[in-house]
Amino acid sequence: MRNFLPLLGKELRALFYSPIAYIIIAVFLLLMGYSFTLTLFLNKFATLIHIFFQSAGLLLLLIPIITMRLFAEERKAGTLELLLTAPVRESHVVLAKYLASMAVVLAMIALTGAYGIVLGMFGSPDWGPIYSGYVGLVLLASTLVALGLTISALTSNQVAAAIVTIGISFLMWTIDTLAAMMPEGLERVLISLSLLAHFTPFATGAMYTSDLGFFVSTTLLALFLAMRALARR
């Protein structure tokens, strides 16, 4: 813990002192605010279900931009080797970068809580799906951040890290669409790997331990792979 906290502080400063984090947050809130306003004042729907799905789609695009530099930039600059020769564990380095990235993403998600407040002021929303939707967004973001972190640990090219992360993220999001064309056994496997299939119950007001377990296990697996990637440097 004595070495971990300075690492976490370094990563937080690197992200929040950079304009990229604020640009990403601003773009996210601008697009979500536009969509929320249209739905609320034109369609009169007192719900955030559409916001949760649109937010998830944006997270697939924006989180790789946050995570692409985490290891790739340090590897290219040669500071990663210096960092790893310091008396710190690989697990602390990975966890510090993961938590710092999650702080940016959580700030993005938390600021959309204003939409729920507006719904409460002008209508009588069903709060259950709103709470579960936010839990789903956080879990989805956790998996995407861990995935981006792992890809960044494998390359020194930030652009390549972002593109590969976006590609894998979208593949995992839409892979259940291939399920109907596959044999029954493979169909179940593809659905079990789908981010969309596990996120949809949260966004629509249902929470199952199987979906929670999927997001937690994929996050832990990705973080473990990132640690192994550093250990094999």
Side-chain angles (χ1 to χ4, degrees):
M1 187 61 71
R2 184 181 58 185
N3 294 328
F4 174 73
L5 291 180
L7 270 179
L8 179 59
K10 168 183 170 292
E11 296 301 331
L12 287 171
R13 287 191 297 274
L15 282 172
F16 282 98
Y17 285 1
S18 165
I20 294 177
Y22 299 100
I23 292 172
I24 290 174
I25 292 173
V27 169
F28 179 78
L29 293 177
L30 180 64
L31 293 175
M32 287 299 94
Y34 175 73
S35 176
F36 173 74
T37 303
L38 282 182
T39 302
L40 180 62
F41 293 103
L42 296 182
N43 298 324
K44 311 296 184 184
F45 293 152
T47 174
L48 291 183
I49 291 178
H50 66 289
I51 288 292
F52 293 137
F53 282 103
Q54 291 171 0
S55 297
L58 279 178
L59 291 179
L60 295 176
L61 289 171
L62 297 179
I63 285 180
I65 299 175
I66 297 173
T67 60
M68 68 180 187
R69 53 165 293 279
L70 292 176
F71 284 115
E73 184 180 62
E74 293 209 47
R75 189 185 295 276
K76 186 175 182 179
T79 56
L80 181 60
E81 292 297 329
L82 184 63
L83 175 64
L84 294 178
T85 55
V88 294
R89 300 177 181 176
E90 285 92 353
S91 58
H92 287 176
V93 175
V94 170
L95 191 58
K97 290 181 180 294
Y98 165 77
L99 291 177
S101 301
M102 280 301 296
V104 175
V105 179
L106 289 177
M108 291 167 54
I109 295 174
L111 288 171
T112 65
Y115 306 150
I117 296 174
V118 172
L119 284 185
M121 293 172 59
F122 292 96
S124 301
D126 183 357
W127 291 102
I130 293 177
Y131 295 144
S132 67
Y134 276 108
V135 172
L137 277 181
V138 172
L139 291 171
L140 173 66
S142 176
T143 293
L144 295 177
V145 167
L147 175 63
L149 189 63
T150 302
I151 302 301
S152 181
L154 296 173
T155 179
S156 60
N157 189 313
Q158 296 184 44
V159 177
I163 292 174
V164 172
T165 304
I166 290 173
I168 295 176
S169 299
F170 269 95
L171 178 62
M172 291 183 66
W173 180 260
T174 60
I175 199 169
D176 62 312
T177 58
L178 297 174
M181 298 182 288
M182 298 296 170
E184 184 177 353
L186 186 56
E187 176 185 5
R188 292 177 181 174
V189 172
L190 293 180
I191 292 177
S192 69
L193 294 175
S194 170
L195 292 173
L196 176 60
H198 291 286
F199 175 74
T200 297
F202 285 104
T204 55
M207 291 193 290
Y208 301 105
T209 54
S210 58
D211 298 319
L212 174 65
F214 169 79
F215 286 115
V216 172
S217 60
T218 51
T219 297
L220 293 177
L221 175 61
L223 293 177
F224 172 75
L225 293 176
M227 294 176 199
R228 295 303 303 162
L230 288 185
R232 292 169 61 89
R233 65 192 186 278

